[in-house]
Amino acid sequence: MMRYTNQPPAFGGASMRLHVTPWVKILLISNAAIYLVTLAVGRGPIFDLFGFTPDRILQQPWGMLTYMFVHAGFWHLLMNMLFVFFFGPPLEERWGSEMFLKFYLVCGLGGVLLSFLFAEATIVGASAACYGIMLAFAMAWPNQPVYVWGVWPVKVKWLVTFMVAISFASAIGPSRDGVAHLAHLGGAIAGFLFVKSGWLPAGSWERPRSTRARKRPGSARGRGQRGGSWTEKLRGSTWTARRRGPGQPAKRRGASASSTPIGDAFERRKMRKRMSEERAELDRVDAVLDKISAHGINSLTAEERDLLDRVSKQTKAN
């Protein structure tokens, strides 16, 4: 058993408050439902039909995917689903549901590949996908405390390192515990390669240089202190623009000291109009960035992507 600390990380838009995202919910329900079917029908027929057996890959190729949803017992199912429940939602929030599902399946296939090369027995369970999820979480939030059995706080990077090391030692040693340690390693390796491959959405994997958050006035949402992704920089430019009121235009270099009152009034009117238009556009940018935080960058429309590109170029030019 494990739980998170109450302090969420200050970057990336992912909160550690426990909640269930769409594909995490589907995975939990489908695995539980298939386990109940296994109890009703019997493990033998289900394992034979839906498990993955390396020497039967040509006769039953679907086993490469279906084995992830079949479990050998209640504790096997419970532990895997706890890993999905705890570590899955922040990743799905950060990447979007479609990318999260792809990652889950790729990690499961990584377990298939390593088992195909070095194992002979039938394998079942979502452990390979779970190891990939845990590794990706540890890469994104390495110092996030996890309370093992609700008592001992351990940084997630050390917990995942320990679990991968145990699987590696068991895989190369004379272990006969009936656990597919090679599948665990295959899932972890596939997850690592997926993260490092650059396939994840742009801006979804960068972490600010500092993990200390600062809050802008009137907002409950923390931002990175320095650096960070281009979305955070755009938000910073949004807030900078809003701080300037209609009567507070940005200072201009080389402004004439001999301007007339009528000319000043005309210039202020033009400035107020321009600032109003800029604030309206930056409000739209803020809404688009909130959409990225909630659903991932893949949820944006072509018009929203064009808006971000245009404002990003303007920000760099300024």
Side-chain angles (χ1 to χ4, degrees):
M1 296 291 289
M2 60 186 70
R3 66 179 177 85
Y4 292 124
T5 180
N6 291 328
Q7 294 297 327
F11 50 82
S15 171
M16 295 299 104
R17 292 186 296 272
L18 294 183
H19 61 289
V20 182
T21 46
W23 264 108
V24 168
K25 181 186 296 184
I26 292 172
L27 291 171
L28 294 175
I29 293 174
S30 59
N31 277 276
I34 293 173
Y35 177 69
L36 294 178
V37 172
T38 303
L39 291 179
V41 176
R43 287 171 40 171
I46 296 296
F47 286 11
D48 185 65
L49 184 59
F50 297 111
F52 172 70
T53 306
D55 60 6
R56 297 169 59 188
I57 189 172
L58 296 180
Q59 291 83 5
Q60 295 181 333
W62 59 84
M64 292 187 292
L65 291 176
T66 56
Y67 91 97
M68 301 181 226
F69 299 91
V70 180
H71 289 83
F74 174 75
W75 289 107
H76 187 202
L77 171 72
L78 179 63
M79 294 305 298
N80 282 341
M81 294 304 100
L82 281 175
F83 290 139
V84 173
F85 176 74
F86 278 108
F87 298 115
L91 295 176
E92 184 173 353
E93 277 195 336
R94 170 173 277 199
W95 299 341
S97 295
E98 182 181 352
M99 185 58 67
F100 173 76
L101 178 61
K102 289 179 181 178
F103 180 82
Y104 184 91
L105 296 178
V106 165
C107 291
L109 292 175
V112 163
L113 178 60
L114 216 57
S115 298
F116 177 76
L117 294 177
F118 300 106
E120 297 178 358
T122 299
I123 62 170
V124 294
S127 298
C130 291
Y131 267 67
I133 287 175
M134 287 190 295
L135 186 70
F137 185 97
M139 293 173 69
W141 298 282
N143 296 316
Q144 176 67 32
V146 175
Y147 285 79
V148 180
W149 300 111
V151 177
W152 296 286
V154 179
K155 290 183 178 181
V156 69
K157 62 182 178 182
W158 302 127
L159 176 65
V160 174
T161 299
F162 173 76
M163 295 181 67
V164 172
I166 290 296
S167 289
F168 178 76
S170 300
I172 64 175
S175 175
R176 295 293 184 269
D177 54 7
V179 178
H181 297 288
L182 284 170
H184 298 177
L185 291 176
I189 293 171
F192 178 82
L193 294 177
F194 194 103
V195 168
K196 292 298 185 180
S197 67
W199 292 341
L200 294 171
S204 71
W205 200 251
E206 297 94 337
R207 291 202 310 273
R209 297 173 186 173
S210 172
T211 57
R212 296 176 57 191
R214 66 181 180 188
K215 294 183 179 180
R216 68 190 188 194
S219 172
R221 186 174 301 181
R223 299 295 170 208
Q225 192 172 22
R226 286 183 299 178
S229 63
W230 60 275
T231 57
E232 291 169 331
K233 293 175 182 177
L234 282 178
R235 285 192 184 276
S237 66
T238 302
W239 175 237
T240 301
R242 287 177 176 175
R243 289 180 61 187
R244 298 176 187 156
Q248 295 176 311
K251 294 181 179 181
R252 293 173 296 164
R253 294 182 179 179
S256 173
S258 60
S259 56
T260 64
I262 296 178
D264 287 344
F266 182 72
E267 189 67 26
R268 284 196 298 271
R269 182 176 179 182
K270 288 174 58 179
M271 183 64 69
R272 283 196 297 268
K273 182 178 179 181
R274 184 163 62 250
M275 292 297 297
S276 177
E277 293 173 351
E278 289 179 356
R279 284 197 300 272
E281 185 173 66
L282 291 172
D283 282 336
R284 293 175 58 203
V285 172
D286 222 15
V288 172
L289 297 177
D290 286 335
K291 185 176 180 180
I292 294 175
S293 296
H295 305 291
I297 198 169
N298 290 334
S299 64
L300 299 185
T301 64
E303 181 181 358
E304 291 168 336
R305 291 175 183 271
D306 290 341
L307 173 64
L308 290 184
D309 289 340
R310 184 173 67 253
V311 175
S312 178
K313 292 177 182 178
Q314 292 173 357
T315 303
K316 291 179 181 179
N318 293 332

